[in-house]
Amino acid sequence: MTDSNSRAASAPFPVTEGREKGYQRAAVDVFLRRAKSSFDGEGAPLDSAGVRQASFPLVKGGYRISDVDAALARVEDAFAQRERAAAVARAGAGVWVDRARGEAQLILDHLARPKKKRFARSGPLTFGYRIDEVDHVAEKIVRFLRDGQTLTVEQVRSTAFRMQRGGYREEQVDALLDATIDVLLAVR
């Protein structure tokens, strides 16, 4: 067995092969050690939003993206459960529910804007998220928040949009998706 094969065999996640890119192994390992340390009450503080926003360089021979993302989802869930328990213990369940309800209302208010005008647009020569795809996901979020239709954290986490010139600005859409995940985690 070659040295790279033995390292891949002992890796905590499957490693990509050939031309396929994955998350840089060292970056993932460092982040997961930091997350564990923080969860154990040691080291720099980290919360569920920080886990959700983690990103890693893509490289050949990296960890397979889907496996790392699944692990990060579990880590985020653990942090979110702890945050909810601490908030309920500190202020009571009513305050927690009111906060989640307030966040949900802010999302609904934002998505009440007309289709194709829900978010700021990137410039005509720059790329943003495809407007029709974002509006489709926005309708799913509205149906969940307003009508109680099923929507899971995993569905929102795995949402991906193609790009288009003059599309919706990525950071605004991403912020709304993050807020939606916060609400979903709060009512889980």
Side-chain angles (χ1 to χ4, degrees), residues 4 154 167:
S4 65
E154 290 73 26

Side-chain angles (χ1 to χ4, degrees), residues 77 104 107-108 111 133-161 176-188:
D77 288 347
I107 294 167
L108 280 171
L111 296 181
E133 292 175 357
V134 173
D135 282 343
H136 178 75
V137 170
E139 290 302 316
K140 287 182 178 182
I141 293 169
V142 167
R143 287 193 299 272
F144 164 73
L145 294 173
R146 186 189 61 211
D147 306 331
Q149 287 191 7
T150 303
L151 182 67
T152 68
V153 173
E154 290 73 26
Q155 287 172 315
V156 179
R157 281 181 182 142
S158 65
T159 298
F161 305 107
L176 186 118
L177 293 176
D178 283 346
T180 302
I181 290 171
D182 285 341
V183 169
L184 286 162
L185 289 173
V187 299
R188 223 181 205 186

Side-chain angles (χ1 to χ4, degrees), residues 69-148:
D69 286 349
L72 289 174
R74 291 188 299 274
V75 171
E76 180 187 358
D77 288 347
F79 274 94
Q81 288 173 358
R82 178 185 278 182
E83 291 160 12
R84 178 178 49 223
V88 168
R90 186 175 53 253
V95 171
W96 181 260
V97 169
D98 288 345
R99 187 185 128 240
R101 189 174 290 137
E103 286 180 26
Q105 189 59 55
L106 287 173
I107 294 167
L108 280 171
D109 292 346
H110 186 96
L111 296 181
R113 296 173 181 169
K115 286 182 180 180
K116 300 184 181 192
K117 296 183 181 194
R118 289 184 167 136
F119 300 93
R121 303 293 254 315
S122 63
L125 300 178
T126 57
F127 287 89
Y129 290 146
R130 277 194 54 139
I131 294 165
D132 60 331
E133 292 175 357
V134 173
D135 282 343
H136 178 75
V137 170
E139 290 302 316
K140 287 182 178 182
I141 293 169
V142 167
R143 287 193 299 272
F144 164 73
L145 294 173
R146 186 189 61 211
D147 306 331

